[in-house]
Amino acid sequence: NAGVTQTPKFRILKIGQSMTLQCTQDMNHNYMYWYRQDPGMGLKLIYYSVGAGITDKGEVPNGYNVSRSTTEDFPLRLELAAPSQTSVYFCASTLSNRVGGVPGELFFGEGSRLTVL
Amino acid sequence: AQTVTQSQPEMSVQEAETVTLSCTYDTSENNYYLFWYKQPPSRQMILVIRQEAYKQQNATENRFSVNFQKAAKSFSLKISDSQLGDTAMYFCAFMKPGGAGNNRKLIWGLGTSLAVNP
């Protein structure tokens, strides 16, 4: 059971470039999230999804886009990368109900370290 | 709006000793969930322990236990018999109760960096 898989683990971008961070989970979780974590800070929610075809903004959505065409995949798109987007990005997922899972127990990927120069 | 505060940015403890990490929160909800997550240097976040607010009994998971004081809105984590592998960032988090429309978003504290020294 792979859990939550993120790719790439590391990436360096030039200002103005675009890229997509991939996230896939094999636990049939309805809810998926993208967070960013800046040095010495907690997690800030970028976007989240409560199911395929449904996405919504979190606290810091500017400069990002997401899509959720399947239950398994939740890619994060960075358009026109800026130095302020240098961060570690985490994808997470959870079950939508209590059956078979702990409410609020998020399963995280290993993170993607992005540097924008 | 709910907030979560961790007042200790860094802590250290000697191996085999006990350490307590503090967390306070603010909410007007009566029922909710509280969590402690651990982020080791390898970076993958994992759940340590959770507490449901309607339960008076403090949650325990092996060497990890919480002191949940609902009236004081306090949720501290006690780690007994600290091990080198406990070295990590620890995050306290809050979630509203379940139900229709609940997007299960967690509200996070800024974290406490714990170093376990040999």
Side-chain angles (χ1 to χ4, degrees):
Chain A
N1 192 338
V4 179
T5 303
Q6 286 181 238
T7 56
K9 287 187 169 52
F10 302 94
R11 182 74 185 268
I12 298 175
L13 283 180
K14 294 182 179 179
I15 294 173
Q17 288 185 320
S18 300
M19 75 160 296
T20 299
L21 298 176
Q22 301 291 345
C23 176
T24 187
Q25 52 90 12
D26 60 0
M27 297 172 284
N28 201 32
H29 286 174
N30 284 15
Y31 288 68
M32 296 188 74
Y33 309 84
W34 273 106
Y35 289 94
R36 60 177 288 174
Q37 184 180 33
D38 299 321
M41 301 295 288
L43 297 169
K44 293 185 178 178
L45 183 63
I46 305 170
Y47 270 95
Y48 66 98
S49 170
V50 301
I54 306 170
T55 63
D56 207 347
K57 296 177 180 179
E59 304 168 77
V60 290
N62 292 344
Y64 307 94
N65 277 302
V66 294
S67 60
R68 185 91 182 273
S69 57
T70 67
T71 297
E72 294 78 19
D73 300 309
F74 190 42
L76 177 71
R77 177 83 177 161
L78 279 73
E79 304 282 0
L80 299 175
S84 61
Q85 293 178 304
T86 294
S87 189
V88 180
Y89 292 83
F90 289 95
C91 180
S93 70
T94 191
L95 287 170
S96 62
N97 55 59
R98 299 185 67 169
V99 176
V102 172
E105 180 178 10
L106 266 62
F107 293 80
F108 283 82
E110 293 185 354
S112 299
R113 184 177 295 275
L114 175 67
T115 301
V116 181
L117 301 174
Chain B
Q2 289 82 8
T3 58
V4 176
T5 302
Q6 293 179 248
S7 59
Q8 306 151 314
E10 295 180 351
M11 294 190 72
S12 64
V13 64
Q14 292 299 121
E15 197 175 4
E17 293 186 347
T18 295
V19 64
T20 299
L21 280 59
S22 300
C23 173
T24 58
Y25 58 94
D26 188 23
T27 184
S28 59
E29 303 281 349
N30 186 50
N31 193 22
Y32 44 86
Y33 301 101
L34 294 164
F35 306 87
W36 280 99
Y37 278 83
K38 170 184 177 181
Q39 186 180 33
S42 63
R43 297 185 297 149
Q44 191 166 21
M45 193 93 70
I46 55 174
L47 178 66
V48 175
I49 198 167
R50 72 159 190 152
Q51 175 81 40
E52 292 163 297
Y54 66 84
K55 291 186 177 179
Q56 293 186 336
Q57 186 172 7
N58 289 325
T60 300
E61 289 287 343
N62 301 315
R63 296 182 296 107
F64 298 88
S65 61
V66 299
N67 183 4
F68 174 49
Q69 302 288 330
K70 190 173 183 179
K73 297 180 182 176
S74 171
F75 183 60
S76 60
L77 175 69
K78 185 171 83 171
I79 306 174
S80 304
D81 186 25
S82 296
Q83 300 176 359
L84 296 178
D86 295 333
T87 292
M89 280 288 288
Y90 287 83
F91 291 94
C92 180
F94 169 99
M95 191 180 79
K96 286 183 180 180
N102 176 21
N103 53 37
R104 297 193 172 269
K105 288 192 292 184
L106 287 171
I107 299 167
W108 299 85
L110 294 182
T112 296
S113 177
L114 176 67
V116 179
N117 302 313

